[in-house]
Amino acid sequence: MAINSAPESSLLSLLYRSYPTAVSPEATEPDLLTASPKIFPQTTFSVAEEADIKQWLHTISGLQTALVKDNKDVASTILTQLNAHLATRTTLLGSKPSVADIAAYALVAPVVEKWTPEERTGEQGRHHIVRHVDFVQNSRLFGLRIPEEEKVAIDVNDVRFVPKPVDPKEEKERKKKEKAAAQGTGAAVGDKPLVVGQSKPEQTAKDNEAGETPVAEKPEGKTNKKEKKEKKEKPPKPAPAPAAPPTPSVIDLRVGHILRAVNHPNADSLFVSTIDCGDAPGTENTSLDEATGKTVRTVCSGLNGLIPLEEMQDRKIVAVCNLKPVTMRGIKSCAMVLAASPRVAEGEDSHAGPVELVSPPADAPAGQRVYFDGWSEGEPEKVLNPKKKIWETFQPGFTTTENLEVAFESGAVPAMQGQEGKPALGKLLTGGAVCTVKSLKGATVR
């Protein structure tokens, strides 16, 4: 493994470039302990999290020393620790960004860049460090200003070995056992557990020397009838199948063709659209459109006043088709139209606009499946259970890129942690073409 060090000047330069208002240009070395609240003012850190940041900065400093001194054993130990920690986390704190992630990136990125594919994602590779580097350098959560040519080139599809997902319960139990062993609180004697109701070997020997018969010993020739019957060992119960990892593919996204839209008769903020979503005749929550003979869905959307009514006529959109139908001011709505809007700070009106509809390719047929690149496995659920908050879980990852492409950012969804071989950013595709918006960059899509 090629080892290289990243001097503090590299980290300082990265902080200056990315957060000019948070880092003083007169500083000669980064004051990392107080930097996180300045760099991430919208994020609140608890006392425990601040302590974790301090500890990780200390660990990263130790790694830097090992790299400078070319102490491969120490560096390898720390990298292994870092990789194991990130196995169940998106960031070092779990899901919150911190300056510790940036410091780790500045130091580890040059190391990862020189790793071979086998060192990155082979059976002994450090998959989670590679994923973390890719996430930090590309995620809008950090917003690092790194030119494309300076980023570490990572092919998220080049995974040589897929490690078994870490079971949080098993990991907790493992740590508990390690702690107990370290404290010498194990209940084992000579590596063999004591069994309740059985004599200790030492005590039995003493009793025999004294000519005493152990209480549990039976006279010869007498046997318990119950002992004659050999107990049949019950076959072990099969382990429950591991739960499938969460994936946005359970959401039924399709190309929809708005045939027409009108103002809702009982709500000034709503449009009522007649949309062809490619449903078969007689499908639940659909009706027959007499004007065209097509099977359609009626959809209410809160776009009145945000999008001109004329833009809602005879156009292609992307529809979410497996949300539970809801009645909106007397009209049953059986789908949802995807639209983008700027991200707003907490407490601000998220429906203030502007709003732009997500557009599939003009020639995409109604009903064609729409999916995020890298997340197309499996079939959508028939109806999303509102109690499971599936839509609410994945929607925070729906975004738009600098190229006005709609995409799914897995790092913005805590439930996506620990999934190997998945892209940090998967574009929204249908028929191999990307779905887009007109002008909103870095917007939320819902």
Short mmCIF file of all heavy atoms in Angstrom, two decimals, residues 144-185:
data_model
loop_
_atom_site.label_atom_id
_atom_site.label_comp_id
_atom_site.label_asym_id
_atom_site.label_seq_id
_atom_site.Cartn_x
_atom_site.Cartn_y
_atom_site.Cartn_z
N LEU A 144 -17.71 20.90 -0.23
CA LEU A 144 -16.29 21.21 -0.43
C LEU A 144 -16.04 21.68 -1.86
O LEU A 144 -16.55 21.09 -2.82
CB LEU A 144 -15.44 19.98 -0.15
CG LEU A 144 -15.41 19.49 1.31
CD1 LEU A 144 -14.56 18.24 1.42
CD2 LEU A 144 -14.87 20.56 2.24
N ARG A 145 -15.26 22.73 -1.99
CA ARG A 145 -14.94 23.26 -3.31
C ARG A 145 -13.65 22.60 -3.80
O ARG A 145 -12.54 23.11 -3.58
CB ARG A 145 -14.80 24.77 -3.24
CG ARG A 145 -16.12 25.46 -2.86
CD ARG A 145 -15.97 26.96 -2.78
NE ARG A 145 -17.23 27.60 -2.40
CZ ARG A 145 -17.39 28.91 -2.19
NH1 ARG A 145 -16.33 29.72 -2.36
NH2 ARG A 145 -18.55 29.41 -1.84
N ILE A 146 -13.85 21.47 -4.44
CA ILE A 146 -12.72 20.69 -4.96
C ILE A 146 -12.89 20.54 -6.46
O ILE A 146 -13.90 19.99 -6.91
CB ILE A 146 -12.66 19.30 -4.30
CG1 ILE A 146 -12.67 19.40 -2.78
CG2 ILE A 146 -11.43 18.54 -4.78
CD1 ILE A 146 -12.76 18.07 -2.09
N PRO A 147 -11.96 21.03 -7.26
CA PRO A 147 -12.07 20.84 -8.71
C PRO A 147 -12.14 19.35 -9.04
O PRO A 147 -11.56 18.51 -8.36
CB PRO A 147 -10.77 21.47 -9.24
CG PRO A 147 -10.34 22.41 -8.16
CD PRO A 147 -10.78 21.80 -6.87
N GLU A 148 -12.85 19.03 -10.09
CA GLU A 148 -13.04 17.63 -10.47
C GLU A 148 -11.71 16.92 -10.67
O GLU A 148 -11.55 15.76 -10.29
CB GLU A 148 -13.87 17.54 -11.76
CG GLU A 148 -15.34 17.87 -11.58
CD GLU A 148 -16.04 16.90 -10.65
OE1 GLU A 148 -15.70 15.68 -10.68
OE2 GLU A 148 -16.92 17.33 -9.88
N GLU A 149 -10.73 17.63 -11.23
CA GLU A 149 -9.45 16.98 -11.50
C GLU A 149 -8.66 16.68 -10.22
O GLU A 149 -7.72 15.88 -10.23
CB GLU A 149 -8.59 17.84 -12.43
CG GLU A 149 -8.21 19.22 -11.87
CD GLU A 149 -9.26 20.28 -12.18
OE1 GLU A 149 -10.38 19.91 -12.60
OE2 GLU A 149 -8.95 21.47 -12.04
N GLU A 150 -9.05 17.31 -9.08
CA GLU A 150 -8.36 17.06 -7.83
C GLU A 150 -9.04 15.99 -6.99
O GLU A 150 -8.49 15.55 -5.99
CB GLU A 150 -8.26 18.36 -7.01
CG GLU A 150 -7.34 19.41 -7.64
CD GLU A 150 -7.21 20.63 -6.77
OE1 GLU A 150 -7.58 20.56 -5.56
OE2 GLU A 150 -6.74 21.67 -7.25
N LYS A 151 -10.23 15.59 -7.37
CA LYS A 151 -10.95 14.57 -6.60
C LYS A 151 -10.34 13.19 -6.85
O LYS A 151 -9.76 12.93 -7.90
CB LYS A 151 -12.43 14.55 -6.99
CG LYS A 151 -13.20 15.80 -6.57
CD LYS A 151 -14.67 15.69 -6.97
CE LYS A 151 -15.44 16.94 -6.55
NZ LYS A 151 -16.87 16.87 -6.94
N VAL A 152 -10.49 12.32 -5.87
CA VAL A 152 -10.03 10.94 -6.03
C VAL A 152 -10.99 10.22 -6.97
O VAL A 152 -12.21 10.22 -6.74
CB VAL A 152 -9.97 10.21 -4.68
CG1 VAL A 152 -9.50 8.77 -4.86
CG2 VAL A 152 -9.07 10.95 -3.70
N ALA A 153 -10.48 9.64 -8.03
CA ALA A 153 -11.32 8.92 -8.98
C ALA A 153 -11.76 7.59 -8.37
O ALA A 153 -10.93 6.73 -8.08
CB ALA A 153 -10.57 8.68 -10.28
N ILE A 154 -13.06 7.46 -8.12
CA ILE A 154 -13.60 6.26 -7.50
C ILE A 154 -14.73 5.71 -8.37
O ILE A 154 -15.71 6.41 -8.65
CB ILE A 154 -14.13 6.55 -6.08
CG1 ILE A 154 -12.97 6.95 -5.17
CG2 ILE A 154 -14.87 5.34 -5.51
CD1 ILE A 154 -13.39 7.38 -3.78
N ASP A 155 -14.58 4.48 -8.80
CA ASP A 155 -15.62 3.81 -9.58
C ASP A 155 -16.48 3.02 -8.61
O ASP A 155 -16.08 1.96 -8.11
CB ASP A 155 -14.98 2.87 -10.61
CG ASP A 155 -16.02 2.19 -11.50
OD1 ASP A 155 -17.23 2.40 -11.27
OD2 ASP A 155 -15.63 1.45 -12.42
N VAL A 156 -17.69 3.54 -8.32
CA VAL A 156 -18.55 2.90 -7.32
C VAL A 156 -19.03 1.53 -7.76
O VAL A 156 -19.52 0.73 -6.95
CB VAL A 156 -19.76 3.80 -6.99
CG1 VAL A 156 -19.32 5.09 -6.36
CG2 VAL A 156 -20.58 4.08 -8.26
N ASN A 157 -18.92 1.23 -9.04
CA ASN A 157 -19.37 -0.07 -9.53
C ASN A 157 -18.25 -1.12 -9.51
O ASN A 157 -18.51 -2.31 -9.74
CB ASN A 157 -19.90 0.06 -10.97
CG ASN A 157 -21.14 0.93 -11.03
OD1 ASN A 157 -22.04 0.77 -10.22
ND2 ASN A 157 -21.19 1.85 -11.97
N ASP A 158 -17.01 -0.69 -9.24
CA ASP A 158 -15.88 -1.62 -9.21
C ASP A 158 -15.71 -2.13 -7.78
O ASP A 158 -14.89 -1.64 -7.02
CB ASP A 158 -14.61 -0.92 -9.70
CG ASP A 158 -13.43 -1.89 -9.79
OD1 ASP A 158 -13.65 -3.11 -9.65
OD2 ASP A 158 -12.30 -1.42 -9.99
N VAL A 159 -16.51 -3.12 -7.43
CA VAL A 159 -16.45 -3.72 -6.10
C VAL A 159 -15.96 -5.16 -6.25
O VAL A 159 -16.66 -6.00 -6.81
CB VAL A 159 -17.83 -3.69 -5.40
CG1 VAL A 159 -17.74 -4.34 -4.02
CG2 VAL A 159 -18.32 -2.25 -5.27
N ARG A 160 -14.75 -5.44 -5.78
CA ARG A 160 -14.16 -6.76 -5.96
C ARG A 160 -14.72 -7.79 -4.99
O ARG A 160 -14.76 -8.99 -5.27
CB ARG A 160 -12.64 -6.67 -5.78
CG ARG A 160 -11.96 -5.65 -6.70
CD ARG A 160 -12.23 -5.99 -8.17
NE ARG A 160 -11.75 -4.98 -9.09
CZ ARG A 160 -10.55 -5.00 -9.65
NH1 ARG A 160 -9.70 -5.99 -9.39
NH2 ARG A 160 -10.19 -4.04 -10.49
N PHE A 161 -15.16 -7.34 -3.83
CA PHE A 161 -15.70 -8.26 -2.83
C PHE A 161 -16.75 -7.51 -2.02
O PHE A 161 -16.53 -6.39 -1.58
CB PHE A 161 -14.60 -8.76 -1.89
CG PHE A 161 -15.09 -9.65 -0.78
CD1 PHE A 161 -15.36 -10.99 -1.00
CD2 PHE A 161 -15.30 -9.12 0.49
CE1 PHE A 161 -15.81 -11.79 0.03
CE2 PHE A 161 -15.76 -9.92 1.52
CZ PHE A 161 -16.02 -11.27 1.29
N VAL A 162 -17.94 -8.12 -1.87
CA VAL A 162 -19.03 -7.49 -1.11
C VAL A 162 -19.02 -8.05 0.30
O VAL A 162 -19.33 -9.23 0.51
CB VAL A 162 -20.40 -7.75 -1.77
CG1 VAL A 162 -21.51 -7.10 -0.95
CG2 VAL A 162 -20.40 -7.23 -3.20
N PRO A 163 -18.64 -7.26 1.31
CA PRO A 163 -18.60 -7.76 2.68
C PRO A 163 -20.00 -7.96 3.23
O PRO A 163 -20.97 -7.35 2.78
CB PRO A 163 -17.86 -6.65 3.44
CG PRO A 163 -18.15 -5.41 2.66
CD PRO A 163 -18.24 -5.85 1.22
N LYS A 164 -20.09 -8.85 4.21
CA LYS A 164 -21.37 -9.09 4.87
C LYS A 164 -21.76 -7.84 5.63
O LYS A 164 -20.95 -7.26 6.35
CB LYS A 164 -21.23 -10.27 5.83
CG LYS A 164 -22.51 -10.59 6.60
CD LYS A 164 -22.26 -11.72 7.59
CE LYS A 164 -23.52 -11.99 8.41
NZ LYS A 164 -23.29 -13.06 9.42
N PRO A 165 -23.02 -7.39 5.50
CA PRO A 165 -23.45 -6.19 6.22
C PRO A 165 -23.29 -6.38 7.73
O PRO A 165 -23.52 -7.46 8.26
CB PRO A 165 -24.94 -6.05 5.84
CG PRO A 165 -25.08 -6.81 4.57
CD PRO A 165 -24.09 -7.94 4.65
N VAL A 166 -22.87 -5.32 8.40
CA VAL A 166 -22.67 -5.38 9.84
C VAL A 166 -24.02 -5.36 10.53
O VAL A 166 -24.85 -4.48 10.29
CB VAL A 166 -21.81 -4.20 10.32
CG1 VAL A 166 -21.67 -4.22 11.84
CG2 VAL A 166 -20.44 -4.26 9.67
N ASP A 167 -24.26 -6.35 11.39
CA ASP A 167 -25.50 -6.40 12.18
C ASP A 167 -25.27 -5.56 13.43
O ASP A 167 -24.42 -5.89 14.26
CB ASP A 167 -25.82 -7.84 12.55
CG ASP A 167 -27.17 -7.97 13.23
OD1 ASP A 167 -27.57 -7.01 13.92
OD2 ASP A 167 -27.83 -9.01 13.07
N PRO A 168 -26.02 -4.46 13.60
CA PRO A 168 -25.81 -3.60 14.77
C PRO A 168 -25.91 -4.35 16.09
O PRO A 168 -25.16 -4.08 17.03
CB PRO A 168 -26.92 -2.54 14.65
CG PRO A 168 -27.25 -2.52 13.19
CD PRO A 168 -27.06 -3.93 12.72
N LYS A 169 -26.84 -5.34 16.19
CA LYS A 169 -27.00 -6.09 17.43
C LYS A 169 -25.77 -6.96 17.70
O LYS A 169 -25.28 -7.04 18.83
CB LYS A 169 -28.25 -6.97 17.36
CG LYS A 169 -29.56 -6.17 17.37
CD LYS A 169 -30.76 -7.09 17.40
CE LYS A 169 -32.06 -6.30 17.45
NZ LYS A 169 -33.24 -7.18 17.44
N GLU A 170 -25.27 -7.61 16.64
CA GLU A 170 -24.08 -8.44 16.80
C GLU A 170 -22.87 -7.58 17.17
O GLU A 170 -22.04 -7.98 17.99
CB GLU A 170 -23.79 -9.20 15.51
CG GLU A 170 -24.81 -10.30 15.20
CD GLU A 170 -24.46 -11.04 13.93
OE1 GLU A 170 -23.42 -10.70 13.31
OE2 GLU A 170 -25.22 -11.95 13.54
N GLU A 171 -22.77 -6.41 16.55
CA GLU A 171 -21.66 -5.50 16.85
C GLU A 171 -21.72 -5.04 18.29
O GLU A 171 -20.70 -4.98 18.99
CB GLU A 171 -21.72 -4.29 15.90
CG GLU A 171 -20.60 -3.29 16.09
CD GLU A 171 -19.25 -3.81 15.63
OE1 GLU A 171 -19.20 -4.93 15.05
OE2 GLU A 171 -18.24 -3.13 15.86
N LYS A 172 -22.93 -4.76 18.79
CA LYS A 172 -23.10 -4.32 20.18
C LYS A 172 -22.72 -5.44 21.13
O LYS A 172 -22.05 -5.22 22.15
CB LYS A 172 -24.55 -3.89 20.40
CG LYS A 172 -24.82 -3.33 21.78
CD LYS A 172 -26.26 -2.87 21.91
CE LYS A 172 -26.54 -2.30 23.30
NZ LYS A 172 -27.95 -1.87 23.44
N GLU A 173 -23.15 -6.67 20.80
CA GLU A 173 -22.84 -7.82 21.65
C GLU A 173 -21.34 -8.10 21.66
O GLU A 173 -20.75 -8.44 22.69
CB GLU A 173 -23.60 -9.05 21.14
CG GLU A 173 -23.50 -10.26 22.04
CD GLU A 173 -24.12 -10.05 23.42
OE1 GLU A 173 -25.04 -9.20 23.52
OE2 GLU A 173 -23.70 -10.73 24.37
N ARG A 174 -20.70 -7.94 20.47
CA ARG A 174 -19.27 -8.17 20.38
C ARG A 174 -18.50 -7.19 21.27
O ARG A 174 -17.57 -7.58 22.00
CB ARG A 174 -18.80 -8.03 18.93
CG ARG A 174 -17.32 -8.30 18.72
CD ARG A 174 -16.90 -8.03 17.29
NE ARG A 174 -17.02 -6.63 16.95
CZ ARG A 174 -16.12 -5.70 17.31
NH1 ARG A 174 -15.04 -6.04 18.01
NH2 ARG A 174 -16.29 -4.44 16.96
N LYS A 175 -18.89 -5.92 21.19
CA LYS A 175 -18.22 -4.91 22.01
C LYS A 175 -18.44 -5.17 23.50
O LYS A 175 -17.55 -4.94 24.32
CB LYS A 175 -18.73 -3.52 21.63
CG LYS A 175 -18.28 -3.06 20.25
CD LYS A 175 -18.78 -1.66 19.95
CE LYS A 175 -18.30 -1.19 18.58
NZ LYS A 175 -18.79 0.16 18.26
N LYS A 176 -19.65 -5.66 23.84
CA LYS A 176 -19.97 -5.96 25.23
C LYS A 176 -19.07 -7.07 25.75
O LYS A 176 -18.55 -7.01 26.87
CB LYS A 176 -21.44 -6.36 25.34
CG LYS A 176 -21.92 -6.60 26.75
CD LYS A 176 -23.40 -6.95 26.75
CE LYS A 176 -23.88 -7.22 28.18
NZ LYS A 176 -25.34 -7.59 28.17
N LYS A 177 -18.86 -8.12 24.93
CA LYS A 177 -18.02 -9.25 25.33
C LYS A 177 -16.57 -8.80 25.47
O LYS A 177 -15.85 -9.23 26.39
CB LYS A 177 -18.13 -10.37 24.31
CG LYS A 177 -19.48 -11.10 24.36
CD LYS A 177 -19.52 -12.22 23.32
CE LYS A 177 -20.86 -12.95 23.37
NZ LYS A 177 -20.93 -14.02 22.34
N GLU A 178 -16.12 -7.96 24.53
CA GLU A 178 -14.74 -7.47 24.60
C GLU A 178 -14.52 -6.66 25.87
O GLU A 178 -13.48 -6.78 26.53
CB GLU A 178 -14.43 -6.62 23.37
CG GLU A 178 -14.27 -7.42 22.09
CD GLU A 178 -13.93 -6.53 20.90
OE1 GLU A 178 -13.94 -5.30 21.08
OE2 GLU A 178 -13.67 -7.07 19.81
N LYS A 179 -15.51 -5.85 26.22
CA LYS A 179 -15.39 -5.03 27.42
C LYS A 179 -15.36 -5.91 28.66
O LYS A 179 -14.56 -5.70 29.58
CB LYS A 179 -16.57 -4.06 27.49
CG LYS A 179 -16.50 -3.10 28.67
CD LYS A 179 -17.66 -2.12 28.64
CE LYS A 179 -17.59 -1.15 29.80
NZ LYS A 179 -18.73 -0.21 29.81
N ALA A 180 -16.22 -6.95 28.68
CA ALA A 180 -16.26 -7.85 29.83
C ALA A 180 -14.95 -8.61 29.97
O ALA A 180 -14.42 -8.80 31.06
CB ALA A 180 -17.42 -8.83 29.68
N ALA A 181 -14.39 -9.03 28.83
CA ALA A 181 -13.13 -9.76 28.86
C ALA A 181 -12.00 -8.87 29.37
O ALA A 181 -11.12 -9.31 30.12
CB ALA A 181 -12.81 -10.29 27.47
N ALA A 182 -12.03 -7.60 28.93
CA ALA A 182 -10.99 -6.67 29.36
C ALA A 182 -11.03 -6.41 30.85
O ALA A 182 -10.03 -6.19 31.50
CB ALA A 182 -11.10 -5.36 28.59
N GLN A 183 -12.26 -6.45 31.41
CA GLN A 183 -12.43 -6.17 32.84
C GLN A 183 -12.30 -7.43 33.69
O GLN A 183 -12.38 -7.39 34.90
CB GLN A 183 -13.80 -5.52 33.09
CG GLN A 183 -13.92 -4.14 32.45
CD GLN A 183 -15.31 -3.54 32.62
OE1 GLN A 183 -16.24 -4.24 33.01
NE2 GLN A 183 -15.44 -2.27 32.35
N GLY A 184 -12.14 -8.57 33.01
CA GLY A 184 -11.98 -9.82 33.73
C GLY A 184 -13.24 -10.28 34.41
O GLY A 184 -13.22 -10.92 35.46
N THR A 185 -14.41 -9.96 33.82
CA THR A 185 -15.69 -10.32 34.44
C THR A 185 -16.31 -11.54 33.81
O THR A 185 -17.47 -11.83 34.04
CB THR A 185 -16.67 -9.15 34.32
OG1 THR A 185 -16.83 -8.83 32.92
CG2 THR A 185 -16.18 -7.94 35.05
#
